[in-house]
Amino acid sequence: SFVNVKILDGRTAEPKKRAVKVIAESMVEIVGANSESTMVVVEEISRDRWARGSVIASDRIADSNDN
């Protein structure tokens, strides 16, 4: 099994480790994947390369800091 997780950058290693553990365990439990061959890739995306709607995440954060 192969799972690709995309998240905004800036998180520490600990929450990413926890996410990988839970995702891998879930793949074993839910779809019967082999735990030794389950791969989880965490891909961190820079906030200036991620948009929701027509607003780049870095701009969305900057706008919320202005309030």
Side-chain angles (χ1 to χ4, degrees):
S1 298
F2 182 89
V3 179
N4 188 349
V5 178
K6 296 183 183 201
I7 61 172
L8 288 172
D9 62 354
R11 290 175 176 82
T12 62
E14 192 56 36
K16 290 183 278 190
K17 288 178 185 179
R18 287 177 42 216
V20 166
K21 183 178 187 300
V22 169
I23 291 166
E25 290 171 349
S26 296
M27 291 299 292
V28 171
E29 180 182 331
I30 295 168
V31 300
N34 179 317
S35 63
E36 293 301 314
S37 63
T38 297
M39 295 176 279
V40 180
V41 175
V42 177
E43 184 176 358
E44 293 183 271
I45 309 295
S46 171
R47 293 174 188 272
D48 64 346
R49 295 176 181 229
W50 186 303
R52 183 173 53 191
S54 61
V55 180
I56 301 265
S58 57
D59 291 343
R60 190 177 301 276
I61 292 166
D63 288 345
S64 69
N65 290 336
D66 289 342
N67 296 329

